Amino acid sequence: LLDSLLQECFQSTQALNMPASRGEPPPPSLPQAPARSSWLGFLPVSALEDNVRNMNIEAEEAYEVDEDDSEPVDSFCKLPLAFSCPRHLQPVQGVEMIMQTWRMRERMKTVSVALVICQNVGVDPPDVTKTQPCARQECWVDPLSLNPQRALETIGGNLQRQYERWQPRARYRQSLDPTVEEVRRLATGLRRSARDERVLFHYNGHGVPRPTANGEIWVFNRSYTQYIPLSIYDLQSWMGSPSIYVYDCNNAGIIVDSFRNFAEQHEREYVEQIRAGGPQAGGTELPPPPSLRNCIQLAACSKDQLLPMNPDLPADLFTACLTTPIKVALRWFVMKNDLGQLAPKVKLEQLEKIPGQFGDRRTMLGELNWIFTAITDTIAWNTLPRDTFQKLFRQDLLVASLFRNFLLAERIMKSNDCTPVSQPKLPGTHQHPMWEAWDLAVDICLSQLKNILEEDKTYLPSSFFEEQLTAFEVWLSHGCEERSPPEQLPIVLQVLLSQAHRLRALDLLGKFLDLGPWAVNLALSVGIFPYVLKLLQSSARELRPLLVFIWAKILAVDSSCQQDLVRDQSHKYFLTVLQDPAMLPQVKTWAVFVLSSVVQGYKQGQDEAVAGNLISICLNEMDEADPVFKQWLAICLGTLWDKHEEARGRAMRCNAPESLETLLLDQTPEVRAAAVYALGTFINSCSERTEHANTLDQNIATRLLQKILEDGSTLVRKELVVTMQYVVNSFPNNFMALMRAIADEDDGLAAGTRSSLLSVSTSTLGRVSSEDKLSRQVLQQRRSVVGIPQSMTGSVTELNRMGDLGILTTPKRGRKSVIGLAGVGTQHHVASLASLASMACYGPGVTAKFKPFYLKVVGGLMVLERDPDKEVGTMARQVLDTIYNKMVAAERERKGSGVFRSLSQAELHSVSAPGSPAKASFMLGDSPPGHNTTLPASFRQGLAGSVGGQHSLTLPSDLASKPAQAWLGRSTVSDISEDGGQETGVKTNFLAWSAKHFSSRLMKLGEDMVDLESEEYWARQWLYDRNEKVKRRAAAERKSVEEGSGRLDDQLGVVKIPQPPSVLAYEPYTSSLAVATRDSILLVGNKPGPSPQVTTSWGNGNSRVSQITSLQFCNSHERGLLVAGSDDGCVRVWRGWDESPHLVTGWTLLPEMVPQSLAGSRVSYGLQLAWSQPDQLLVGAGDAKNIRLWDCSAEVRLCDLPIQSDSCVTCLHMDKGVLAASFGDGQIKLFDYRAPPASARIMAFREHKQLVLSLKMQEGGKIVSGCTEGVVKVWDIRRQSSLTTLETNQPAVSLDIHQSAPVFAAWTSTQQISFHSLHEGKVLNQIRYHEGLLGNRLGPVNCLKFHPSLIQLAAASTDSHVSMFGYRRY
């Protein structure tokens, strides 16, 4: 059974490893496509049968296409999906749930029991006429068979022994036929000794009259000649609270009602005492407020009922049910079934001879008691509210036993026309279906009694628990959160006590917990925690995987259990599992997750883990290949030594940082993020700084920046920001001094810029320190020629970032200056993100005074501040603000208020805000955020409006009344803390999000099986069918082109957009067109109507000085993603672009890229991208020395291919392991990216003399290229020279080649689009500029783009129009 469980569990878990990529189903509603054949769109899944069958494809009607020519549907299924891991599909947050109160805040214990018995043996009360014969037994003793005093003492002794079975350690006091004073002394004495614990008051009133309507019970006078009333009001005062009352007398319900009324009276009196200003006369202090309403009461019958008088039943039937339930239940079962109809030949006398002990579950009596406990617990859990169940059945052992037995009392008393009453009131349970299961179990057990007694046969255990486990297993096969909870869950808990059924019970329990956090909450509410905690003391190896899995599930939902594990030393169990070589990696993953939960934020747990050598154990397991296991090993180490000096020292001796640094190169982003987290907490755990500790931490931080700063995963970069702020907090004085130096240099630059703007003079520029300095210098030179461009109003923090990490040298000579304008001196520092790495752009006042380490950290934070992901940028900005605020606070303490610079008129007139050392708010042209900025939003708006006009500014009214410090100074940011606490700062949800993995389904049986009836399956099949139809239509159009029977002149539509478009991209299997302007993206789709329209638009988020230069679709065979590349080297991936676009991820692909707006006279095409779906590779190149291949599955750089050219890359295309790149000087180079980078280049074509505008690799090893001369060449990758040269005889402004069809289109100097064939070069047709009154309207084109499959063409014009043309057959 264990092997079967492990095989199912672990094989299915492999598919759930967090780094694995999984597809995303399309949304339930998709835009409807029109009937027009020239425009393909999405169809709703529900319209699959009708719309796909009736899809009007003209080419399909005209031509028969061989099925072998189309790609089979299976090929789409085998294509991997990029950016479809959990880190991309879900927010990085922990599990959001409402924890149920399973752990009792106050565990109560009944420590004292008052047994008040009013029998007056031999004398019946005057107000009750008893039948003859009548029930006489009291505590299973006939009082008339003994003398009165002896009978009374026997009854008292038996009752005490019956209670002692349920609570043997309580203090018992008997009061036999008492007076009022004796009851008072008894109650007050027990309350005094019990203090705040619970006291039980048992009242047997069979020998006294019924309770009065005024709320009085009866006792005796000293001579037993009178019945004396005892007010419940007084009894409440004596007993206090918490208390439990048991009333076994006639009309007992009257006492319950009176008790409630008197409790309210006590509360009113307490309020009056408070208002009166103190205690009553004679009192010294005010007693605590009463909580008498919460007292528990159990009454034998309602207020208008008498007790049963059946002579076959005991007179104290209610007490017998509460204290001897099995004996009563068996007798009642035999009597109910006519003395043995269901259990043949079983007599009442034989019931006294049932063998066994209550505590021995292997005997008949013990198993019956076990079954009874399971059934009553099940009934209560399924009928009571959760809080009531916790209070009555889990808070106090004696109370829980009494209420279990009360359920039996209700069933038996109901059959005798009595209705027991309880407070709190319970719903009726006497007809619950589980009672039938009890009757069946009793019948099966009693059927063996005769053979056991007469023939001494062995008792055969009942099949009750096996049957209930089977019922639970059936529920699990169809269980979900929406269904009612399984009623057998409390029985599963009881089965854990049985060694015979324990393995199966743990198996089923694990499957139940795997359903989700709601299932864990249910299991905890039923009381499973102490059972599974006790099982950790077991040494059975076969239980280890199951117990570890169950504990992982529990701790993923409720981490407070860590204290229980440490208190009982049960954490050692998981240390043993982690070191067991026989355990599978998945089991060890669960174990290390449990251990990380034990030590997280818990000092005692950290101490125990260090003593248990957990650091060495984790380091020894680092060689495992399972990524989730490695991830949690790193997380466990990070939580272990977080703020724990001793653990840090042990880790240093074990060389733990070196081991963790090997994980920084892991192919799984989660593993890298965990390693960065662990190294960050290692730095943060040093409380006393020594030279050795400083050197070690600085080396760790430096290597982190070298390896992680350009990581493609936002998870990793966020952890890097947190680690860098730990570094900043470790060396605050050094960073404040560096920030002061940066501020001084920025102030000097700001003053020079203001002066130059006022005098409008030109001079040789000095060293560029930041984008603010660069922008001002560019403004200074351009102002006299063309004025100040609106887009050049950046600020300090953009270009003062570091260059290549650790390299303080400038780029090689011959590189064009990024600000090489007329009259401007040559500069070798480029305006790229890579130039922000060493702060060499600053003067010697910064770089010569500080160690490179501090420059690298600040520069790294500035690069992260400029991150394409807004969350990463915001976190880095907050860290920089922290340094700034600390520096301001230190200056304020040293100089007083003089630290605040006055806002001079010159500063108000400057282009950007006054220089500050951490100008995180103005990033390379980004719009400044509304918080933590040097100037308030209203001031910045006014400032932006003055650029290029008159330099005058009036402070807004909302600032005029505020002191300068209120809006000039930044809000103080305190020290950083990963786990929150009282400290604030940037932190991530990485740990909570990683732990969510264990609260999800880990035992998905049949994970590889596809539900052929699911909506997701049919939606995906529809997409695959759509792709097939598009391919067949594309093949028909290609055949038509080859036959010369069609033209590309069917205008599908013209769309007006707000800005001039610059980049176009068709989605491969629809006619959705993505249009990029400078900083925004629009999707042209098919809204209801005859022509396409703009369906969605959104901002790309790139900086103000950069623009979008490339668009690519990935995962287009399903629900595609849109990849946007900008000329600053950043890439952003968008999901849901056809409905509600949101950013999936973003990273800097080529940090050395220079934005075109800052490239000066150097020709740059920006960042060009190419995508390979089978390999999940993204290739990027531009005006850089390398072509970078990016592994999107691992989100890391795969390799860099040297281009060995001084020209920029203009086009990229890749197919089947071969990458083709074209350059601005006309060269075309082929690379085999599977080979080592040094030998990757396999061919170079040099026949083009001008810039190559388009490059495509077609089937058969052919390459087609076209340049600005209007020359198109066809190449064979096996030959050095071109196969065919085609000329348009006109210079081409824009040109594009179809990916599969033998056609190309060019916009030439004749102001027309010409459509050419590659076979003979003939012009198939032309589309002229504003042709005809009713013909095509086409503005000056700056971009052409073919559809990847169909013969459709999009043309973007400079007048902000996008025209789309389709293929039309004659």
Side-chain angles (χ1 to χ4, degrees):
L1 180 61
L2 180 60
D3 293 338
S4 175
L5 168 69
L6 295 179
Q7 183 179 4
E8 294 173 346
C9 172
F10 302 144
Q11 288 181 357
S12 63
T13 307
Q14 292 177 355
L16 276 175
N17 287 341
M18 298 175 64
S21 295
R22 297 178 59 192
E24 180 189 33
S29 61
L30 302 171
Q32 179 74 34
R36 180 172 183 162
S37 63
S38 301
W39 189 265
L40 287 179
F42 288 120
L43 293 178
V45 175
S46 60
L48 173 65
E49 295 182 358
D50 298 333
N51 292 322
V52 171
R53 185 185 304 114
N54 299 328
M55 219 172 165
N56 182 19
I57 300 179
E58 296 176 351
E60 213 176 350
E61 297 173 357
Y63 298 101
E64 285 282 327
V65 180
D66 189 359
E67 291 293 335
D68 295 336
D69 294 338
S70 62
E71 189 174 0
V73 174
D74 291 342
S75 63
F76 295 118
C77 302
K78 296 176 182 178
L79 284 176
L81 293 175
F83 306 110
S84 297
C85 302
R87 63 181 178 273
H88 302 125
L89 300 177
Q90 56 188 226
V92 182
Q93 299 174 355
V95 179
E96 296 182 2
M97 66 193 74
I98 301 177
M99 281 296 301
Q100 298 181 4
T101 309
W102 67 270
R103 192 189 294 272
M104 298 303 300
R105 296 181 180 177
E106 300 178 1
R107 290 199 66 86
M108 302 293 295
K109 186 177 182 180
T110 303
V111 297
S112 301
V113 177
L115 303 178
V116 179
I117 301 176
C118 299
Q119 283 288 334
N120 197 11
V121 177
V123 180
D124 291 335
D127 58 345
V128 176
T129 302
K130 295 187 177 180
T131 61
Q132 293 297 331
C134 178
R136 290 293 181 183
Q137 282 190 326
E138 300 279 351
C139 295
W140 304 104
V141 174
D142 185 358
L144 299 182
S145 62
L146 302 172
N147 65 70
Q149 185 61 30
R150 178 64 177 168
L152 186 61
E153 294 174 356
T154 303
I155 292 171
N158 286 356
L159 181 59
Q160 179 173 333
R161 283 188 290 274
Q162 291 172 191
Y163 268 109
E164 285 176 343
R165 183 196 156 200
W166 308 106
Q167 180 61 286
R169 297 183 180 180
R171 181 185 296 106
Y172 290 89
R173 296 291 184 268
Q174 300 179 21
S175 185
L176 308 179
D177 290 348
T179 63
V180 173
E181 181 61 23
E182 291 173 347
V183 173
R184 185 190 68 79
R185 288 200 303 268
L186 174 65
T188 55
L190 291 180
R191 170 48 59 197
R192 189 182 309 111
S193 61
R195 297 184 180 180
D196 295 331
E197 299 290 348
R198 182 173 278 126
V199 178
L200 186 146
F201 182 86
H202 181 101
Y203 175 71
N204 182 321
H206 294 173
V208 293
R210 291 176 287 183
T212 66
N214 296 328
E216 298 168 322
I217 58 176
W218 298 94
V219 290
F220 301 97
N221 62 359
R222 292 187 177 275
S223 58
Y224 300 102
T225 58
Q226 290 181 345
Y227 299 110
I228 305 299
L230 171 61
S231 174
I232 297 298
Y233 177 87
D234 295 332
L235 184 61
Q236 286 178 342
S237 303
W238 302 335
M239 287 290 295
S241 152
S243 300
I244 178 172
Y245 299 84
V246 178
Y247 312 121
D248 191 350
C249 60
N250 294 307
N251 306 101
I254 296 177
I255 308 176
V256 177
D257 294 341
S258 301
F259 192 98
R260 182 171 53 253
N261 297 331
F262 288 138
E264 295 174 356
Q265 181 179 345
H266 275 287
E267 292 178 0
R268 289 194 300 269
E269 292 176 354
Y270 181 83
V271 173
E272 291 175 358
Q273 284 183 309
I274 294 295
R275 291 174 178 174
Q280 295 178 349
T284 58
E285 61 180 6
L286 198 65
S291 57
L292 301 175
R293 291 192 193 186
N294 299 327
C295 290
I296 299 173
Q297 302 178 79
L298 301 175
C301 57
S302 62
K303 60 183 178 181
D304 55 354
Q305 291 178 338
L306 298 178
L307 296 176
M309 300 184 186
N310 187 341
D312 295 327
L313 297 173
D316 60 344
L317 179 61
F318 183 66
T319 299
C321 288
L322 295 182
T323 56
T324 57
I326 303 301
K327 186 173 183 178
V328 175
L330 295 179
R331 292 177 66 89
W332 182 75
F333 175 80
V334 173
M335 293 169 55
K336 182 184 69 170
N337 294 288
D338 196 15
L339 296 179
Q341 291 297 323
L342 293 180
K345 301 180 181 178
V346 175
K347 305 299 181 182
L348 292 177
E349 302 79 34
Q350 293 177 319
L351 297 179
E352 303 294 335
K353 302 177 182 179
I354 294 179
Q357 301 293 328
F358 284 109
D360 188 356
R361 291 185 292 272
R362 295 170 297 180
T363 63
M364 178 185 293
L365 190 60
E367 187 169 49
L368 283 172
N369 181 63
W370 186 23
I371 295 173
F372 176 80
T373 302
I375 285 180
T376 50
D377 253 12
T378 302
I379 294 174
W381 189 73
N382 283 283
T383 55
L384 300 182
R386 293 289 178 261
D387 54 347
T388 304
F389 177 82
Q390 290 287 330
K391 178 182 178 181
L392 301 182
F393 286 82
R394 293 296 180 262
Q395 190 182 52
D396 188 325
L397 293 178
L398 180 58
V399 172
S401 300
L402 290 178
F403 268 93
R404 288 192 194 99
N405 303 340
F406 179 81
L407 302 182
L408 174 68
E410 181 187 18
R411 187 189 190 202
I412 295 179
M413 300 287 283
K414 276 277 189 178
S415 67
N416 289 276
D417 298 327
C418 262
T419 304
V421 180
S422 68
Q423 180 62 39
K425 186 178 181 181
L426 303 184
T429 60
H430 61 286
Q431 293 182 335
H432 195 278
M434 287 303 296
W435 285 121
E436 298 179 3
W438 164 250
D439 291 339
L440 178 60
V442 170
D443 186 31
I444 293 175
C445 290
L446 293 183
S447 64
Q448 305 180 52
L449 183 60
K450 180 179 179 182
N451 293 333
I452 293 175
L453 295 178
E454 296 179 359
E455 302 179 14
D456 197 22
K457 288 189 176 182
T458 304
Y459 170 69
L460 299 177
S462 171
S463 61
F464 170 79
F465 288 105
E466 293 181 7
E467 295 166 354
Q468 295 300 318
L469 287 178
T470 301
F472 185 58
E473 189 172 10
V474 171
W475 188 95
L476 284 176
S477 63
H478 303 285
C480 61
E481 186 175 5
E482 289 72 23
R483 292 188 59 192
S484 300
E487 64 179 15
Q488 297 84 11
L489 190 58
I491 298 177
V492 176
L493 181 146
Q494 291 292 326
V495 177
L496 295 179
L497 302 173
S498 170
Q499 191 170 359
H501 307 298
R502 183 174 296 159
L503 187 62
R504 185 186 179 196
L506 286 174
D507 174 21
L508 297 177
L509 179 61
K511 292 179 179 178
F512 176 71
L513 298 181
D514 198 42
L515 295 179
W518 62 272
V520 177
N521 278 323
L522 282 178
L524 291 174
S525 70
V526 82
I528 195 177
F529 182 78
Y531 291 79
V532 294
L533 183 63
K534 191 73 173 178
L535 284 175
L536 293 179
Q537 302 176 8
S538 172
S539 59
R541 296 190 65 184
E542 65 272 12
L543 299 182
R544 287 182 179 179
L546 299 173
L547 283 174
V548 171
F549 179 81
I550 289 171
W551 271 101
K553 285 293 181 180
I554 293 175
L555 285 168
V557 174
D558 190 352
S559 60
S560 66
C561 302
Q562 59 182 183
Q563 302 179 14
D564 303 270
L565 290 173
V566 174
R567 183 178 59 249
D568 293 355
Q569 295 291 298
S570 299
H571 66 281
K572 296 180 179 178
Y573 186 88
F574 304 98
L575 289 172
T576 303
V577 173
L578 192 57
Q579 299 176 82
D580 189 350
M583 292 292 112
L584 294 178
Q586 286 82 356
V587 180
K588 292 185 177 182
T589 302
W590 303 334
V592 77
F593 166 70
V594 172
L595 290 170
S596 65
S597 301
V598 168
V599 300
Q600 184 177 359
Y602 185 41
K603 179 65 166 56
Q604 187 176 350
Q606 291 174 317
D607 295 338
E608 292 291 340
V610 171
N613 219 14
L614 179 58
I615 294 178
S616 298
I617 296 173
C618 290
L619 293 177
N620 292 335
E621 298 290 337
M622 284 290 187
D623 295 334
E624 286 287 346
D626 185 78
V628 181
F629 185 34
K630 288 191 292 186
Q631 172 189 348
W632 277 100
L633 285 172
I635 291 177
C636 183
L637 290 174
T639 54
L640 172 58
W641 59 50
D642 187 17
K643 300 179 182 178
H644 196 282
E645 188 76 29
E646 181 183 354
R648 174 188 163 96
R650 181 73 64 88
M652 292 169 58
R653 292 189 291 272
C654 296
N655 293 325
E658 288 79 0
S659 300
L660 287 171
E661 286 177 14
T662 61
L663 300 181
L664 297 179
L665 302 178
D666 194 89
Q667 293 297 299
T668 304
E670 289 84 354
V671 175
R672 300 197 300 273
V676 177
Y677 162 78
L679 291 172
T681 56
F682 180 85
I683 296 174
N684 192 44
S685 62
C686 184
S687 57
E688 296 183 2
R689 282 286 158 193
T690 63
E691 184 177 354
H692 178 265
N694 292 347
T695 302
L696 178 61
D697 291 348
Q698 289 177 10
N699 290 337
I700 292 174
T702 301
R703 287 191 290 268
L704 280 174
L705 287 171
Q706 290 174 347
K707 298 177 180 180
I708 300 299
L709 188 58
E710 296 179 7
D711 196 280
S713 174
T714 56
L715 280 179
V716 182
R717 298 198 302 275
K718 287 178 183 178
E719 294 304 317
L720 180 62
V721 175
V722 176
T723 299
M724 289 301 104
Q725 69 180 348
Y726 291 153
V727 175
V728 169
N729 289 338
S730 300
F731 310 97
N733 296 331
N734 304 76
F735 286 104
M736 285 190 292
L738 174 58
M739 197 62 68
R740 179 72 272 170
I742 295 175
D744 292 341
E745 184 163 324
D746 287 341
D747 290 344
L749 176 65
T753 303
R754 289 192 298 270
S755 174
S756 62
L757 284 174
L758 293 174
S759 61
V760 198
S761 62
T762 61
S763 62
T764 301
L765 294 182
R767 198 175 188 84
V768 179
S769 63
S770 66
E771 191 225 352
D772 191 27
K773 298 178 183 179
L774 175 63
S775 298
R776 289 169 181 166
Q777 290 163 345
V778 174
L779 288 171
Q780 177 181 351
Q781 299 304 324
R782 292 184 178 177
R783 185 175 179 82
S784 60
V785 183
V786 292
I788 301 176
Q790 293 291 331
S791 63
M792 303 300 295
T793 58
S795 73
V796 169
T797 56
E798 308 314 329
L799 300 182
N800 60 349
R801 317 298 201 219
M802 300 177 164
D804 295 332
L805 289 172
I807 302 176
L808 304 183
T809 59
T810 60
K812 64 180 182 179
R813 291 185 178 273
R815 185 83 173 165
K816 297 292 185 179
S817 170
V818 299
I819 53 172
L821 304 177
V824 182
T826 300
Q827 298 293 321
H828 299 296
H829 297 291
V830 294
S832 65
L833 290 177
S835 67
L836 311 178
S838 65
M839 302 185 77
C841 49
Y842 278 92
V846 174
T847 57
K849 292 182 179 180
F850 298 93
K851 293 173 58 177
F853 164 73
Y854 301 105
L855 300 177
K856 292 176 183 178
V857 171
V858 172
L861 285 170
M862 289 179 174
V863 171
L864 292 168
E865 182 189 23
R866 176 60 186 80
D867 197 89
D869 186 88
K870 290 185 178 179
E871 293 184 11
V872 178
T874 301
M875 292 171 61
R877 181 179 307 121
Q878 185 173 347
V879 178
L880 291 172
D881 287 349
T882 301
I883 309 174
Y884 174 82
N885 290 321
K886 288 182 178 180
M887 182 269 293
V888 169
E891 291 287 331
R892 181 163 43 199
E893 292 178 1
R894 188 164 60 90
K895 298 181 179 180
S897 60
V899 69
F900 295 101
R901 294 165 290 168
S902 61
L903 194 64
S904 64
Q905 188 69 15
E907 287 176 322
L908 291 178
H909 290 170
S910 63
V911 176
S912 64
S916 68
K919 292 238 178 137
S921 22
F922 303 89
M923 302 187 309
L924 204 56
D926 280 349
S927 299
H931 65 283
N932 282 346
T933 54
T934 303
L935 297 180
S938 54
F939 179 77
R940 292 195 305 273
Q941 292 170 0
L943 182 62
S946 69
V947 176
Q950 295 183 355
H951 297 284
S952 62
L953 179 65
T954 303
L955 283 176
S957 58
D958 61 334
L959 300 180
S961 60
K962 298 180 181 180
Q965 290 85 346
W967 54 272
L968 180 60
R970 303 188 183 194
S971 60
T972 301
V973 181
S974 61
D975 289 343
I976 312 302
S977 173
E978 172 70 22
D979 55 357
Q982 296 181 353
E983 298 178 344
T984 59
V986 296
K987 51 188 175 182
T988 67
N989 295 320
F990 175 66
L991 263 65
W993 175 77
S994 300
K996 187 166 65 173
H997 169 72
F998 297 95
S999 63
S1000 61
R1001 295 288 296 272
L1002 300 180
M1003 289 187 179
K1004 287 188 177 180
L1005 305 181
E1007 176 72 18
D1008 296 333
M1009 299 178 61
V1010 179
D1011 184 0
L1012 301 182
E1013 299 300 328
S1014 66
E1015 181 179 350
E1016 178 181 352
Y1017 171 79
W1018 283 111
R1020 187 174 289 111
Q1021 287 299 311
W1022 184 90
L1023 292 174
Y1024 295 163
D1025 292 339
R1026 175 206 65 182
N1027 300 347
E1028 284 298 316
K1029 289 184 177 292
V1030 171
K1031 282 185 168 292
R1032 288 197 294 269
R1033 177 184 171 184
E1037 290 181 345
R1038 287 196 300 271
K1039 188 174 182 180
S1040 175
V1041 168
E1042 293 173 355
E1043 295 176 351
S1045 59
R1047 295 165 58 91
L1048 183 68
D1049 60 356
D1050 183 13
Q1051 186 165 25
L1052 305 178
V1054 179
V1055 177
K1056 171 70 174 178
I1057 61 177
Q1059 300 178 25
S1062 57
V1063 185
L1064 302 174
Y1066 271 110
E1067 191 183 12
Y1069 296 107
T1070 70
S1071 288
S1072 297
L1073 177 66
V1075 182
T1077 62
R1078 189 191 66 82
D1079 58 356
S1080 61
I1081 304 174
L1082 304 92
L1083 185 71
V1084 178
N1086 203 31
K1087 289 184 176 180
S1091 62
Q1093 305 174 38
V1094 176
T1095 58
T1096 53
S1097 63
W1098 68 96
N1100 189 51
N1102 49 293
S1103 60
R1104 192 177 303 157
V1105 297
S1106 65
Q1107 62 182 10
I1108 302 171
T1109 57
S1110 181
L1111 293 175
Q1112 287 287 335
F1113 283 96
C1114 66
N1115 298 349
S1116 55
H1117 61 292
E1118 292 195 10
R1119 295 293 292 154
L1121 304 177
L1122 182 60
V1123 183
S1126 53
D1127 59 1
D1128 56 357
C1130 295
V1131 172
R1132 294 170 176 85
V1133 182
W1134 298 93
R1135 184 187 302 278
W1137 35 264
D1138 54 346
E1139 294 176 350
S1140 55
H1142 63 276
L1143 186 67
V1144 177
T1145 185
W1147 73 97
T1148 303
L1149 182 65
L1150 280 174
E1152 59 269 26
M1153 287 285 296
V1154 180
Q1156 291 173 307
S1157 60
L1158 303 178
S1161 60
R1162 183 171 178 84
V1163 176
S1164 175
Y1165 246 49
L1167 179 65
Q1168 299 299 309
L1169 299 175
W1171 170 251
S1172 174
Q1173 187 71 43
D1175 301 324
Q1176 295 194 55
L1177 288 181
L1178 184 68
V1179 182
D1183 192 10
K1185 59 184 178 181
N1186 294 314
I1187 297 176
R1188 178 156 295 179
L1189 276 69
W1190 197 267
D1191 184 354
C1192 292
S1193 61
E1195 299 190 63
V1196 294
R1197 179 179 61 185
L1198 185 63
C1199 65
D1200 283 344
L1201 304 179
I1203 62 174
Q1204 299 177 355
S1205 174
D1206 290 334
S1207 298
C1208 66
V1209 175
T1210 60
C1211 300
L1212 289 172
H1213 200 265
M1214 60 191 306
D1215 183 38
K1216 298 179 181 179
V1218 178
L1219 171 66
S1222 63
F1223 295 86
D1225 58 2
Q1227 290 191 74
I1228 299 173
K1229 297 183 179 181
L1230 301 184
F1231 301 86
D1232 186 347
Y1233 56 78
R1234 298 164 296 184
S1239 58
R1241 198 185 77 172
I1242 56 177
M1243 187 74 71
F1245 306 125
R1246 296 182 174 88
E1247 295 185 12
H1248 284 295
K1249 303 304 180 183
Q1250 297 294 330
L1251 184 145
V1252 178
L1253 293 173
S1254 182
L1255 175 69
K1256 294 292 169 55
M1257 300 180 66
Q1258 297 186 344
E1259 294 182 358
K1262 292 182 179 181
I1263 299 177
V1264 186
S1265 61
C1267 67
T1268 55
E1269 290 182 325
V1271 176
V1272 175
K1273 292 182 177 289
V1274 180
W1275 314 81
D1276 190 322
I1277 62 174
R1278 297 164 295 185
R1279 299 181 58 180
Q1280 188 70 36
S1281 60
S1282 60
L1283 299 177
T1284 307
T1285 299
L1286 308 174
E1287 296 188 7
T1288 62
N1289 298 319
Q1290 293 290 337
V1293 178
S1294 181
L1295 185 146
D1296 193 38
I1297 303 165
H1298 199 280
Q1299 183 170 329
S1300 57
V1303 294
F1304 71 92
W1307 172 265
T1308 63
S1309 58
T1310 58
Q1311 301 292 298
Q1312 64 183 7
I1313 298 177
S1314 56
F1315 186 53
H1316 301 258
S1317 171
L1318 288 177
H1319 292 315
E1320 301 175 358
K1322 66 177 182 179
V1323 179
L1324 300 181
N1325 64 275
Q1326 294 178 339
I1327 303 174
R1328 297 186 182 276
Y1329 175 55
H1330 289 242
E1331 183 182 67
L1333 181 63
L1334 300 177
N1336 300 317
R1337 296 188 59 82
L1338 186 64
V1341 173
N1342 63 350
C1343 181
L1344 293 174
K1345 194 66 177 180
F1346 271 112
H1347 192 284
S1349 303
L1350 304 175
I1351 301 182
Q1352 291 184 4
L1353 181 70
S1357 58
T1358 56
D1359 58 358
S1360 302
H1361 284 83
V1362 178
S1363 303
M1364 289 146 284
F1365 303 93
Y1367 186 79
R1368 179 170 56 89
R1369 181 173 53 86
Y1370 295 141

